[in-house]
Amino acid sequence: MRRQVGVLALLFHKDAEHTGYSDSKVPNTGNVEWTFDAGLTITSSPVVEYGMVYFGCHDGNVYAVNAMTGSLEWKFTTGGYVYHSLAVWGNKVYVASHDRNLYALDAVTGEVIWSFLAPAPIDTSIPTVVDGVVYICLWDGTYAIDANTGELLWKSEKGFRFFSPAVAEGKVIVVTRKIVSEVEVNALNKDSGEIIWTATMTGATRGTATISNNRVFVACEGDYYGVRTNKIYAFDLSDGDKLWEATIGTWDYPNYFSSSLSAAYGMIYFLSGLDGKVYALDEQTGSIEWSTYINHVGSSSSPAIADGKVFIGSSDGKVYCLDAYTGDVIWSYATGGRVHSSPAIAYGRVYVGSNDGKLYCFGSRQPPGSINLSVTSVDSHSITLSWDAYYELDFLCYELYMAEEPLTTSVAISEKTPVRKIYDPLVTSCKIVDLWSSTTYYFVMKVVVSSGLSSTSASVSATTLEGQVIDNATHLIVPEKVKYTLGGYHKYTHIQIHGILYVEKYDGSPDTGVLELEAPFITIFEGGAIIADGAGSQGGDGGGRWPSF
């Protein structure tokens, strides 16, 4: 099943380009849905996938908590504190620890798949994973490591431990401290590590490069061993030519700076450690569009952008939500400690850690809006329907109802049993088979969230075509996670998706291959994955055959 990663946060600053931008909806208020108390400082920026939020903590643990409830799913203890962000790719979570290890953990169980021992502590290093390769900057350069095996593929002397590689167009963009007063931006070949181009900046930085619209953006700001700089640079991604440099901030409150840039809506967003302001610059020219003061003490929190809003943490202990176009403060929320963690946006929520040891989830439990259910195809004995995904809702469940008479009210729906329950919010179509030909069927979709709120669609109908009875669609069972036998010939297969456990039960001897499916289970039709909670034909009143799996 292909996932829509555009609505999730799999890497530091959202994606391999480190734009910080998400196309998810976000809350309009600072309502806290839940908190998880890890007990010690959280500077790690969360990453979100598989219905879980993953983050590191100064207690040396990696935590996986339910994205909707905040309940602990698992934790893994490393040999040192986990300071920075993790990465998720291919059912694995990648984490760099102060114990010098880069770990690949099973995203569902937290078990170690492999570990790579680095030559020095890598607690300030942030992995980026692209196309099965982990790119990470250490003290002595950039490493490319096979994401499945942990094998070293190549190493470059370019790159430094404070920076996370940004990857795009076959290039790995890293920042290298050359001397105290000079910094390099290097473009490395993604497959070999060879240097493609090098650009030079004056000053010092601890911020990661951002790639947007074939441009590379880097902030160079701070007072480092007496070298003061306060500039943002833009380079051409293809050849490294400098396109512009812009002076930002004043030296009102000089602080050590380590925030990274974000890119969205044709602008570059940035938290200055010099004057405590959030800046928005025109991506093409570097001109300042707006600036908003939040706090004069520097923070390493980097802006997250979504739904016309900018989210940023601050050393005053607050999480801020600003208007992305004007800089106006929409809301703020005071945590119990400084916020150096960068917010992550997914499932219509904002996740961020605090020095008070808590992970915060901001969101608002609202019922879904309109549901656009439609009929996409009809033949003699099947109907295919599609609808819009509502990935941002709290534990989303689709319920599809069918009848041979119009279904127009919630009362009518409440009297019937759904013919499909679909637990994956990214599944947006299904095929109903084994129907009577030349019969009109009516469908209504209901969307339910865990808070008890729901919304229903207007009824849609379709008449099957005349023709001969056709065979049911072929069923393909997804690969099993765990299989075991409980006496006789009973075999069970377990697989967990989005925190839900699905069970397949095989009855009969291995020779007959008789298959009985216990709800809920997973089956794949010819158009995509369908997750349902029932099987077999339903009893009827003679008015027509009901769909069966």
Side-chain angles (χ1 to χ4, degrees):
M1 178 174 63
R2 182 173 177 82
R3 302 187 56 81
Q4 297 179 358
V5 297
V7 302
L8 301 175
L10 310 183
L11 303 171
F12 166 70
H13 232 28
K14 176 64 175 60
D15 48 38
E17 295 85 4
H18 300 326
T19 64
Y21 171 76
S22 172
D23 55 10
S24 175
K25 297 294 183 180
V26 290
N28 292 316
T29 65
N31 177 66
V32 176
E33 283 198 7
W34 55 259
T35 62
F36 176 84
D37 193 351
L40 209 61
T41 296
I42 301 172
T43 52
S44 170
S45 301
V47 290
V48 188
E49 171 64 302
Y50 310 120
M52 291 194 278
V53 184
Y54 305 93
F55 64 96
C57 181
H58 285 213
D59 64 2
N61 288 317
V62 177
Y63 292 90
V65 300
N66 187 290
M68 303 304 175
T69 66
S71 61
L72 179 67
E73 299 289 337
W74 56 259
K75 73 175 180 178
F76 171 77
T77 302
T78 74
Y81 60 79
V82 181
Y83 185 75
H84 271 324
S85 180
L86 320 180
V88 179
W89 180 87
N91 299 322
K92 300 178 187 67
V93 178
Y94 301 89
V95 54
S97 171
H98 189 69
D99 65 7
R100 295 173 51 192
N101 280 293
L102 173 68
Y103 294 94
L105 309 177
D106 186 290
V108 176
T109 66
E111 296 176 353
V112 177
I113 298 174
W114 56 258
S115 61
F116 177 88
L117 183 63
I122 58 175
D123 51 285
T124 56
S125 304
I126 306 174
T128 300
V129 190
V130 178
D131 297 334
V133 179
V134 182
Y135 301 97
I136 188 167
C137 294
L138 306 182
W139 282 86
D140 58 345
T142 301
Y143 288 66
I145 300 168
D146 189 294
N148 291 307
T149 66
E151 176 188 1
L152 178 64
L153 301 177
W154 56 258
K155 176 184 177 296
S156 169
E157 65 179 7
K158 299 299 182 180
F160 193 63
R161 67 186 181 103
F162 290 127
F163 314 108
S164 178
V167 183
E169 301 297 328
K171 301 179 181 68
V172 179
I173 306 299
V174 297
V175 180
T176 306
R177 281 185 178 173
K178 190 175 180 182
I179 56 176
V180 170
S181 60
E182 195 170 86
V183 176
E184 285 184 351
V185 181
N186 308 108
L188 310 178
N189 183 288
K190 174 175 169 288
D191 299 318
S192 65
E194 295 179 357
I195 299 174
I196 299 174
W197 56 256
T198 296
T200 302
M201 303 181 299
T202 300
T205 182
R206 296 179 72 182
T208 289
T210 295
I211 302 173
S212 177
N213 295 322
N214 292 312
R215 297 181 175 209
V216 178
F217 302 93
V218 183
C220 210
E221 181 188 68
D223 188 345
Y224 192 69
Y225 292 100
V227 179
R228 288 187 168 189
T229 51
N230 57 334
K231 294 182 181 295
I232 293 178
Y233 293 84
F235 302 98
D236 190 299
L237 176 60
S238 61
D239 56 18
D241 285 350
K242 186 172 72 173
L243 302 175
W244 53 258
E245 65 177 74
T247 300
I248 47 88
T250 61
W251 289 91
D252 297 337
Y253 313 101
N255 287 282
Y256 208 168
F257 174 76
S258 56
S259 182
S260 297
L261 303 166
S262 301
Y265 314 126
M267 290 188 280
I268 298 298
Y269 299 91
F270 169 74
L271 173 61
S272 171
L274 300 184
D275 57 11
K277 293 180 180 180
V278 178
Y279 284 85
L281 285 74
D282 185 281
E283 190 177 280
Q284 298 296 318
T285 65
S287 61
I288 297 174
E289 298 295 314
W290 56 257
S291 64
T292 300
Y293 174 81
I294 58 174
N295 184 259
H296 66 270
V297 180
S299 172
S300 59
S301 183
S302 302
I305 318 295
D307 199 20
K309 302 176 182 67
V310 179
F311 297 89
I312 187 75
S314 173
S315 288
D316 64 1
K318 292 182 179 180
V319 178
Y320 287 87
C321 173
L322 310 178
D323 186 295
Y325 300 99
T326 66
D328 294 340
V329 177
I330 299 173
W331 58 261
S332 65
Y333 180 89
T335 72
R338 294 186 176 187
V339 181
H340 291 288
S341 169
S342 298
I345 298 170
Y347 304 124
R349 292 163 174 79
V350 178
Y351 304 92
V352 64
S354 171
N355 282 17
D356 64 7
K358 294 180 181 180
L359 180 75
Y360 289 81
C361 170
F362 297 93
S364 56
R365 296 177 177 176
Q366 300 293 330
S370 61
I371 305 166
N372 298 313
L373 179 67
S374 61
V375 175
T376 54
S377 67
V378 177
D379 60 29
S380 58
H381 289 279
S382 70
I383 297 173
T384 301
L385 302 108
S386 63
W387 56 91
D388 294 336
Y390 284 93
Y391 43 74
E392 69 270 34
L393 298 179
D394 193 1
F395 183 63
L396 186 60
C397 172
Y398 303 112
E399 293 182 352
L400 181 65
Y401 296 82
M402 185 183 79
E404 292 181 31
E405 67 278 349
L407 289 170
T408 56
T409 66
S410 298
V411 175
I413 294 176
S414 66
E415 297 172 352
K416 294 187 175 295
T417 301
V419 294
R420 294 286 194 278
K421 272 191 178 181
I422 301 170
Y423 292 95
D424 190 329
L426 302 184
V427 173
T428 58
S429 67
C430 70
K431 186 175 185 178
I432 308 296
V433 300
D434 200 18
L435 303 176
W436 286 115
S437 61
S438 303
T439 303
T440 300
Y441 294 92
Y442 297 85
F443 300 91
V444 169
M445 175 69 76
K446 182 179 181 180
V447 183
V448 182
V449 297
S450 61
S451 58
L453 301 171
S454 65
S455 183
T456 56
S457 67
S459 178
V460 297
S461 63
T463 302
T464 53
L465 306 176
E466 292 185 4
Q468 299 298 315
V469 175
I470 60 173
D471 293 335
N472 287 351
T474 301
H475 298 70
L476 301 173
I477 304 303
V478 300
E480 63 268 30
K481 183 69 179 176
V482 179
K483 179 180 283 187
Y484 58 92
T485 301
L486 293 177
Y489 297 108
H490 300 288
K491 292 186 177 181
Y492 293 82
T493 297
H494 284 182
I495 187 166
Q496 188 171 17
I497 294 181
H498 292 291
I500 304 170
L501 187 65
Y502 300 88
V503 181
E504 303 164 12
K505 177 184 176 185
Y506 297 78
D507 265 342
S509 71
D511 296 330
T512 62
V514 177
L515 172 62
E516 177 186 340
L517 298 175
E518 287 192 346
F521 67 92
I522 299 173
T523 184
I524 298 178
F525 287 101
E526 44 187 286
I530 303 299
I531 300 178
D533 72 343
S537 299
Q538 301 184 24
D541 55 5
R545 284 188 301 170
W546 286 84
S548 59
F549 293 99

